[in-house]
Amino acid sequence: MSTLAVPQATLATESDLRFPAGFWWGAATAAYQIEGAVTEDGRTPSIWDTFSATPGKVEAGDSGERATEHYHRYRDDVRLMADMGLSAYRFSVSWPRVQPHGRAGVNLRGLDFYDRLVDELLAAGIHPAATLYHWDLPQALEDVGGWGRRDIADRFADYTATVAGRLGDRVRLWNTLNEPWCSAFLGYGCGAHAPGRADYHDALVATHHLLMAHGRAVEVLRATCPAAQIGLAVNAGAVRPVTDHPADVDAARRIDGLLNRIFLDPVLRGCYPSDVQADTASWTDWSFVHDDDLTIISEPIDALGINYYQPDLVGAAPADRPGPATPYPTDGRVAFHPKPGPVTDMGWAIDPSGLQEVLVRITADYGQIPIFITENGAAFPDRVAADGAVHDADRIDFLHRHFVAAHEALSGGVDLRGYFVWSLLDNFEWVHGYSRRFGLVHVDYDTQARTLKDSAHWYRGVIAAGGVSRR
Ligand code: FCB
């Protein structure tokens, strides 16, 4: 564990930016990224096991096979959370652990793990927040059509009932899905993520079936755990036109439609945006939307989860020089532009104003819904230094600036209830394998040694102070 110099200047003093009492200060993870133990206790492969095992899909041929061994080390990890003073922890449940092969019924050994985890969290005074689907679809369900099949919503409702029946008495916050945009557009649209399908029509169908699954799960959760807060986590983003030329503004409208409104409108307003339906007419006639589907999808939620990393800067691509392929069905009519300024180790722009913009915009457009920032954080090339510490001043600065932006939104009337830093631990960063470190806690993947980074110690101070300085 590190000896450290916490930059006191960024912690709150009397007059600074305080968050409301009861605010949830958390950290987030996802099952496939941390658990390991992929063949233990009856778990069967997910689409990410298959994808990772496919040569060329994941950097260095990495996979979640061992990951951070959280399945076995969860008690130590909860101790680290308690040491940081976290008030909440967002984890995801692995569907193929609980329902191997995606079949109805339950694998008790798999479900027991989450039961123990939840008890361990509660004993440490930490609110458990569960995500039901963070991208690890049972491979057996993908083999019969995956999110392309309408009846997957029934499967998901059944899985939800199984998990909620066991954990629903203790889990206070539920996310049905994590970032359905990634599942649909990265998984089925451009094939960059598992299961690696590349067909925009399939991506739009998957979008609808993911939303159907969400709606069905909300209904089940509401019946099973009426006192819990229920919602989903979306990667809503600030989409900015590169100039104020009408063609660029229209390009931004298209991307905003396909990133944000295609999910938020059905869930919060009960309809798909008509401009998105028109924009995508060359890929689908949307006949996969049946009567009453939107009623299911718009089952009322209690809280919206927002995952924010960076804004997008987009412009029009001329018809004779179409832009490069993207995850979005746009006929090459939209080009993504590099953003000015510093970037993280992911190459993602550091721009806290985008966070404030998203929070304020959602509140303005959809009403004052309670919001949790369910993910925000940054990858940097962290190393354990000679003094045994991890001096990640860049992450402290990143988080500090994003906390300030979140506070600005709060002061502007956004009903912000909590903030989960991505991530608790360094972990398997999907196609980047173990090459990107997002953790508050450094993991040595050879020894599995955990080291609280300076940012973890700093976060402890933020939590204790209830906020940050304006600086
Ligand atoms: C999000 C994912 C999360 C993590 C971060 C960096 O899109 O939800 O699992 O990979 O990005």
Side-chain angles (χ1 to χ4, degrees):
M1 209 154 285
S2 62
T3 51
L4 81 140
V6 176
Q8 295 294 336
T10 64
L11 300 180
T13 59
E14 285 308 310
S15 60
D16 287 322
L17 309 176
R18 290 182 181 281
F19 287 72
F23 193 78
W24 283 21
W25 294 102
T29 62
Y32 190 69
Q33 296 181 272
I34 63 165
E35 286 178 1
V38 293
T39 56
E40 289 182 43
D41 293 341
R43 182 188 180 278
T44 55
S46 73
I47 53 176
W48 270 96
D49 295 272
T50 310
F51 193 75
S52 307
T54 311
K57 296 296 187 191
V58 174
E59 253 180 82
D62 287 343
S63 78
E65 190 176 349
R66 186 172 177 213
T68 69
E69 295 183 353
H70 174 77
Y71 190 72
H72 294 294
R73 297 171 183 269
Y74 72 95
R75 285 201 175 85
D76 296 341
D77 292 337
V78 173
R79 260 195 291 280
L80 295 173
M81 298 177 213
D83 183 18
M84 273 185 255
L86 298 191
S87 48
Y89 172 57
R90 175 177 180 251
F91 62 96
S92 82
V93 177
S94 160
W95 190 347
R97 225 182 252 300
V98 172
Q99 291 189 327
H101 305 292
R103 279 198 215 109
V106 58
N107 173 35
L108 282 177
R109 288 179 298 165
L111 193 52
D112 284 349
F113 166 70
Y114 300 102
D115 196 65
R116 293 194 298 271
L117 172 63
V118 164
D119 280 346
E120 197 74 19
L121 289 165
L122 290 173
I126 298 168
H127 297 299
T131 300
L132 286 162
Y133 185 71
H134 199 127
W135 306 354
D136 46 355
L137 186 71
Q139 180 62 43
L141 290 183
E142 175 58 25
D143 291 344
V144 294
W147 291 107
R149 266 178 79 138
R150 190 175 166 82
D151 64 0
I152 197 165
D154 300 332
R155 301 278 76 72
F156 192 68
D158 185 76
Y159 158 65
T160 301
T162 302
V163 178
R166 184 72 174 277
L167 308 182
D169 55 338
R170 287 156 291 157
V171 169
R172 296 260 310 274
L173 178 66
W174 292 88
N175 292 150
T176 55
L177 307 175
N178 177 71
E179 301 190 0
W181 180 87
C182 294
S183 301
F185 289 94
L186 298 181
Y188 288 67
C190 68
H193 276 193
R197 289 208 236 160
D199 184 319
Y200 293 132
H201 170 264
D202 292 355
L204 294 163
V205 174
T207 295
H208 184 62
H209 294 159
L210 282 153
L211 287 170
M212 290 285 290
H214 157 78
R216 294 287 306 282
V218 173
E219 201 181 4
V220 169
L221 288 165
R222 183 77 63 215
T224 319
C225 29
Q229 300 186 81
I230 301 162
L232 79 171
V234 292
N235 50 320
V239 182
R240 298 168 174 167
V242 65
T243 74
D244 58 8
H245 187 284
D248 293 331
V249 171
D250 193 59
R253 176 199 59 74
R254 266 177 191 266
I255 299 303
D256 175 57
L258 288 163
L259 174 66
N260 298 319
R261 291 180 289 113
I262 194 172
F263 295 101
L264 295 174
D265 281 19
V267 170
L268 298 173
R269 291 185 174 152
C271 57
Y272 280 107
S274 51
D275 61 324
V276 171
Q277 292 190 302
D279 289 343
T280 54
S282 50
W283 289 278
T284 179
D285 60 5
W286 289 74
S287 55
F288 49 79
V289 183
H290 297 187
D291 289 350
D292 299 332
D293 284 2
L294 271 309
T295 310
I296 293 169
I297 293 171
S298 59
E299 187 72 34
I301 59 171
D302 307 300
L304 184 66
I306 301 293
N307 295 357
Y308 172 80
Y309 289 95
Q310 62 163 349
D312 283 313
L313 192 59
V314 301
D320 55 339
R321 272 181 294 119
T326 72
Y328 297 90
T330 63
D331 274 329
R333 290 167 62 174
V334 172
F336 284 76
H337 290 253
K339 283 141 286 191
V343 296
T344 68
D345 205 24
M346 296 290 280
W348 293 350
I350 301 175
D351 187 347
S353 72
L355 174 61
Q356 187 182 347
E357 186 178 323
V358 168
L359 296 172
V360 168
R361 181 266 175 110
I362 286 175
T363 301
D365 286 3
Y366 296 95
Q368 224 210 14
I369 183 167
I371 294 177
F372 287 85
I373 295 167
T374 32
E375 287 182 25
N376 173 246
F380 291 108
D382 306 312
R383 267 176 209 91
V384 180
D387 62 359
V390 180
H391 299 301
D392 58 341
D394 33 19
R395 182 171 292 98
I396 293 175
D397 184 60
F398 178 99
L399 290 174
H400 176 260
R401 293 174 56 204
H402 284 78
F403 289 169
V404 171
H407 195 278
E408 290 286 316
L410 194 62
S411 310
V414 171
D415 187 2
L416 187 64
R417 302 289 178 93
Y419 204 123
F420 294 86
V421 172
W422 184 270
S423 179
L424 174 71
L425 304 168
D426 290 340
N427 61 44
F428 175 77
E429 178 44 40
W430 308 113
V431 294
H432 300 287
Y434 296 97
S435 68
R436 305 293 197 282
R437 293 182 176 273
F438 272 94
L440 291 162
V441 177
H442 181 277
V443 177
D444 177 324
Y445 294 113
D446 292 327
T447 63
Q448 291 292 337
R450 271 74 161 145
T451 306
L452 266 65
K453 300 179 190 176
D454 285 359
S455 57
H457 295 285
W458 171 82
Y459 192 30
R460 180 199 291 127
V462 171
I463 296 169
V468 290
S469 77
R470 201 176 293 275
R471 190 165 49 173

